[in-house]
Amino acid sequence: MGLFDGKYKNYGRSKDEVLAIQELVTGQKLNTIKLTKQQLDAGIEMSVSSHRKIIDDCIRLVNDTLTPEVFFDRYDLLIEEMTKLSTFEPYYNFNKSISEQVAVLRQKRPQNEIAFINKYYQSVRNASKSLKTEKAKIKRIQKFFAIMENYTPQMSSEALEFLHELSKEGDQLL
């Protein structure tokens, strides 16, 4: 028996599983176990907590922002962080499957993009109503479409179609 053979029994996992956990926690691929069970458990807790903070921040910003850059960047970061968090599923008890939540986020992306575009457009329309001249109102609506044009490569086909329909509506308002 080697010096560390007892560690594997304490973990209740194979050496390969312990090495996988260690890699998740440290970000380093090592061939030997360097961390104790307590260090791995603490590392998992810290990693999960760190990902959750970023995820919570992303959710808040995605739901509250009226800035396209923030919405699209944070939606992408939300999926990225949720995907990273899902790698801890075999080693951490979550209330819901993180992998399933990532799949739902991806599936609902078109709906969420449309909801954001609509919310942003309505705020622009409301703001333009308070402008004094027709020219200023037209420029405000045109600016919305110019800004959104920058984000069309990131949009789903459904969101692009919705934006196209809004532009027809916007043309009628102008």
Side-chain angles (χ1 to χ4, degrees), residues 43-53 85 88 92 94:
I44 289 171
E45 284 293 331
M46 281 180 32
S47 294
V48 167
S49 176
S50 176
H51 288 298
R52 281 186 167 167
K53 286 177 185 173
L85 187 62
F88 288 91
Y92 191 89
F94 295 100

Side-chain angles (χ1 to χ4, degrees), residues 89-146:
E89 282 182 307
Y91 319 110
Y92 191 89
N93 291 323
F94 295 100
N95 293 336
K96 293 181 179 178
S97 166
I98 303 301
S99 300
E100 288 175 13
Q101 291 179 53
V102 171
V104 168
L105 274 173
R106 286 188 171 124
Q107 177 200 10
K108 289 190 173 184
R109 184 174 184 131
Q111 291 170 254
N112 292 332
E113 288 175 347
I114 290 168
F116 167 74
I117 293 166
N118 189 48
K119 178 174 71 171
Y120 179 35
Y121 181 68
Q122 294 308 319
S123 75
V124 168
R125 283 194 60 198
N126 289 338
S128 70
K129 289 177 184 176
S130 67
L131 298 173
K132 293 182 181 182
T133 67
E134 281 303 310
K135 185 176 180 180
K137 291 177 185 183
I138 291 169
K139 279 188 175 183
R140 186 70 176 111
I141 300 291
Q142 288 173 334
K143 182 179 176 185
F144 164 82
F145 289 107

